[in-house]
């Protein structure tokens, strides 16, 4: 009889401990469906490197007085960036690493190599804070096909979402921030002076 | 004696009920005589460029759903589909803030064509939020061998302040604005069991704005002066 009681007590302790532990950590796999940007395509054949750092990006953070968060953004990165650049350029080719291209090759005009540089978030603690907030910053690097860096362009996005369900709100805020990044890249790409010059050169070469 | 106690209880309860309620003030101003056509649609969008607040998705959905239902239902385009189909031009940082910016945006042929394909004639920009402005009182609860119970009175007051600005995409101008200020006081008396008497100012703002928007979009000579009511 005492064996049965102690086993039951042990089961209760395990259940309570696992409930407490699951309450202390949050794991989010960012789910997103990004729309195609409504922008005019640039007449450029572009290579795109999505490396493992970007595709497997995981943000881990322990917030004081809260929980530990594991946020997996890799798949959302790929979804957002491929859709975005496919809409922006007449031709896009994906690579895992820098492509070895013959100097006179006309297959691609340049190579884009985006990196996720910073990710920050804030989850409300008090009842008066109503929004989950997310800041995200990418660095978009453009290379010539010979590997020479043309420019590095930092692009930031901010997103917030109403705190109704913590995980859903965090997911929504991340998606809003990533959409902001996509909006900036797709609408301001041709406003960057170095990119303007580079596009001008490509245009001149095409016309020759 | 028992009857006197009952009267006292009823009086206290009615007094508490009197403290719970919603006060609504709506000010509609229409600047033109335009009305929505049979084949034209409207879309309700939240203004999201503020850092401190933004209109909640639930009031956007509430107004959209109510405008699209009933005998005199209007054609309401889904706000998420509209933002997706016109991505990135209606994202928080990109959305036009003035009608001049709207005119500039619609000079882009692909954007104009996409707007035309949705059939949306009017954009209703919803700006504002619901916030807790005051709270007070207190409830104490205790439990013992003989039972458990609570005693006390808690109250809180929420303010729902929204502007619904209507843009005419055909005329590229603002057709007018409806301003709603709804305050609601909720109380929770506890005499053994806490009884929440909750006022819902956001729902009242949704109802009021929907009713006024429907008239705004269907009556040419509508909208002069404030409307005040209490429930």
């Amino acid at each position: 009889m005492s064996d049965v009681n102690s086993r039951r007590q042990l089961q209760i302790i395990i259940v309570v401990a696992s409930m407490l532990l699951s309450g202390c950590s949050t794991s989010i796999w960012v789910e997103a469906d990004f729309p195609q940007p409504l922008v005019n395509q640039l007449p450029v054949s572009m290579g795109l490197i999505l490396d493992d750092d970007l595709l497997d990006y995981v943000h881990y953070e322990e917030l004081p007085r809260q929980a530990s968060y594991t946020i997996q953004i890799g798949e959302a990165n790929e979804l957002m960036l491929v859709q975005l650049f496919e809409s922006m350029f007449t031709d896009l080719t994906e690579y895992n690493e820098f492509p070895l291209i013959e100097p006179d090759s006309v297959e691609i005009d340049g190579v884009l190599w985006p990196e996720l540089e910073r990710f920050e978030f804030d989850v409300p603690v008090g009842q008066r804070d109503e929004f989950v907030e997310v800041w995200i910053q990418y660095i978009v690097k453009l290379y010539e096909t010979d590997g020479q860096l043309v420019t590095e362009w930092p692009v930031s996005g901010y997103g917030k979402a109403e705190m109704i369900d913590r995980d859903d709100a965090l997911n929504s805020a991340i998606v809003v921030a990533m959409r902001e990044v996509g909006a900036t890249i797709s609408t301001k790409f041709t406003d960057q002076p170095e990119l303007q010059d580079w596009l001008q050169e490509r245009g001149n070469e095409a016309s020759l | 004696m028992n009857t006197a106690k009952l009267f006292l209880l009823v009086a206290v309860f009615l007094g508490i009920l009197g403290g719970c309620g919603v006060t609504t003030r709506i000010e509609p101003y229409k600047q033109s005589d335009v009305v929505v056509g049979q084949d034209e649609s409207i879309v309700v969008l939240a203004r999201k460029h503020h850092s401190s607040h933004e209109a909640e998705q639930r009031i956007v959905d509430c107004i959209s759903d109510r405008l699209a239902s009933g005998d005199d239902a209007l054609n309401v385009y889904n706000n998420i589909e509209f933002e997706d189909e016109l991505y990135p031009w209606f994202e928080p940082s990109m959305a036009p803030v003035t009608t001049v910016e709207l005119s500039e945006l619609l000079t882009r042929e692909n954007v104009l064509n996409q707007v035309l394909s949705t059939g949306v004639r009017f954009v209703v920009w919803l700006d504002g939020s619901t916030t807790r402005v005051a709270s007070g009182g207190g409830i104490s609860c205790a439990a013992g061998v003989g039972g458990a119970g609570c005693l006390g009175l808690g109250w809180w007051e929420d303010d729902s302040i929204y502007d619904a600005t209507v843009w005419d995409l055909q005329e590229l101008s603002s057709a007018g604005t409806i301003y709603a200020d709804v305050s609601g006081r909720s109380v929770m008396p506890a005499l053994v069991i806490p009884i929440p008497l909750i006022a819902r100012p956001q729902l009242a703002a949704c109802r009021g704005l929907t009713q006024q928007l429907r008239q705004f979009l269907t009556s040419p000579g509508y909208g002069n002066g404030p409307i005040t009511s209490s429930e």
Side-chain angles (χ1 to χ4, degrees):
Chain A
M1 186 66 182
S2 64
D3 275 358
V4 174
N5 279 344
S6 55
R7 194 176 293 166
R8 183 163 292 170
Q9 280 176 354
L10 187 66
Q11 282 174 342
I12 290 168
I13 289 167
I14 289 169
V15 168
V16 170
S18 58
M19 282 171 72
L20 288 171
L21 281 173
S22 66
C24 295
S25 66
T26 297
S27 184
I28 292 174
W29 191 292
V30 178
E31 289 178 19
D33 189 14
F34 296 98
Q36 206 170 336
L38 191 62
V39 290
N40 294 324
Q41 281 194 326
L42 296 166
V44 180
S45 293
M46 195 67 91
L48 174 65
I49 299 176
L50 298 179
D51 60 20
D52 289 344
D53 287 347
L54 193 78
L55 297 178
D56 300 331
Y57 191 96
V58 178
H59 179 85
Y60 178 80
E61 189 171 339
E62 284 181 31
L63 294 187
R65 294 187 294 136
Q66 283 198 51
S68 63
Y69 288 83
T70 306
I71 303 168
Q72 314 204 40
I73 314 174
E75 196 176 298
N77 276 334
E78 186 178 16
L79 278 170
M80 192 255 298
L81 293 166
V82 171
Q83 174 110 305
L84 175 71
F85 291 126
E86 272 181 351
S87 304
M88 285 176 63
F89 305 109
T90 48
D91 192 48
L92 187 78
T93 310
E94 282 183 63
Y95 300 97
N96 294 321
E97 55 189 17
F98 206 92
L100 294 169
I101 294 165
E102 294 297 316
D104 294 329
S105 169
V106 289
E107 283 176 11
I108 55 173
D109 296 302
V111 178
L112 284 170
W113 194 336
E115 289 173 16
L116 203 170
E117 198 192 41
R118 280 175 65 197
F119 178 87
E120 293 173 19
F121 72 101
D122 187 32
V123 176
V125 181
Q127 289 183 330
R128 302 304 293 265
D129 304 319
E130 294 168 5
F131 293 98
V132 172
E133 295 177 286
V134 168
W135 297 265
I136 198 164
Q137 187 174 56
Y138 291 81
I139 301 282
V140 180
K141 295 178 183 171
L142 175 67
Y143 291 90
E144 296 283 9
T145 49
D146 61 5
Q148 192 187 336
L149 181 68
V150 178
T151 187
E152 285 187 359
W153 179 28
V155 185
S156 305
Y158 166 77
K160 65 177 179 179
E162 279 175 79
M163 177 79 170
I164 298 166
D165 173 87
R166 186 182 57 180
D167 293 5
D168 287 349
L170 190 51
N171 192 95
S172 299
I174 293 167
V175 173
V176 172
M178 292 178 80
R179 283 175 66 124
E180 281 290 313
V181 168
T184 305
I185 293 174
S186 59
T187 58
K188 307 277 192 257
F189 189 85
T190 53
D191 294 348
Q192 306 309 306
E194 293 89 351
L195 293 171
Q196 269 179 354
D197 294 344
W198 185 83
L199 286 167
Q200 188 79 38
E201 284 171 23
R202 298 288 91 72
N204 290 341
E205 280 174 18
S207 62
L208 282 174
Chain B
M1 186 64 182
N2 283 340
T3 314
K5 276 183 181 173
L6 187 66
F7 272 123
L8 188 65
L9 269 174
V10 169
V12 169
F13 190 71
L14 287 175
I16 289 166
L17 270 182
C20 171
V22 173
T23 307
T24 305
R25 181 178 171 83
I26 292 183
E27 296 177 20
Y29 294 101
K30 191 170 180 181
Q31 296 163 347
S32 68
D33 288 338
V34 290
V35 290
V36 65
Q38 269 197 327
D39 300 330
E40 293 168 342
S41 300
I42 62 166
V43 65
V44 183
L45 301 176
R47 272 277 176 225
K48 294 175 184 169
H49 63 276
H50 303 291
S51 58
S52 58
H53 69 272
E54 64 182 41
E56 303 86 354
Q57 184 62 37
R58 77 176 79 92
I59 192 167
V60 172
D61 291 342
C62 176
I63 292 173
S64 299
D65 293 347
R66 281 169 182 261
L67 281 173
S69 60
D71 294 337
D72 44 1
L74 301 174
N75 298 323
V76 180
Y77 206 83
N78 182 284
N79 62 84
I80 293 168
E81 280 177 28
F82 186 84
E83 286 173 347
D84 281 355
E85 287 167 15
L86 282 147
Y87 178 77
W89 304 106
F90 282 80
E91 292 302 293
S93 63
M94 301 290 301
V97 177
T98 64
T99 49
V100 174
E101 288 180 13
L102 174 72
S103 305
E104 283 170 16
L105 175 61
L106 293 181
T107 57
R108 292 175 179 273
E109 198 181 345
N110 50 4
V111 177
L112 179 65
N113 289 338
Q114 190 63 48
V115 168
L116 291 174
S117 75
T118 62
V120 169
R121 163 91 189 263
F122 294 101
V123 173
V124 178
W125 284 110
L126 198 63
D127 199 356
S129 61
T130 297
T131 51
R132 181 143 306 165
V133 291
S135 61
I139 296 171
S140 302
C141 294
V145 180
C150 299
L151 188 68
L153 177 74
W155 63 271
W156 60 95
E157 193 170 319
D158 292 339
D159 254 9
S160 295
I161 300 175
Y162 295 96
D163 278 325
T165 302
V166 182
W167 281 5
D168 184 347
L169 298 185
Q170 193 169 300
E171 300 294 327
L172 296 173
S173 63
S174 175
T177 301
I178 301 170
Y179 172 80
D181 182 353
V182 184
S183 62
R185 176 174 286 197
S186 304
V187 292
M188 186 152 68
L191 197 64
V192 183
I193 300 166
I195 303 164
L197 302 167
I198 297 172
R200 300 187 190 278
Q202 193 182 57
L203 183 61
C206 167
R207 279 200 210 109
L209 282 170
T210 305
Q211 190 185 9
Q212 298 304 317
L213 276 168
R214 197 186 297 281
Q215 289 180 39
F216 186 110
L217 292 162
T218 52
S219 312
Y222 158 85
N224 289 307
I227 301 155
T228 307
S229 69
S230 290
E231 289 172 20

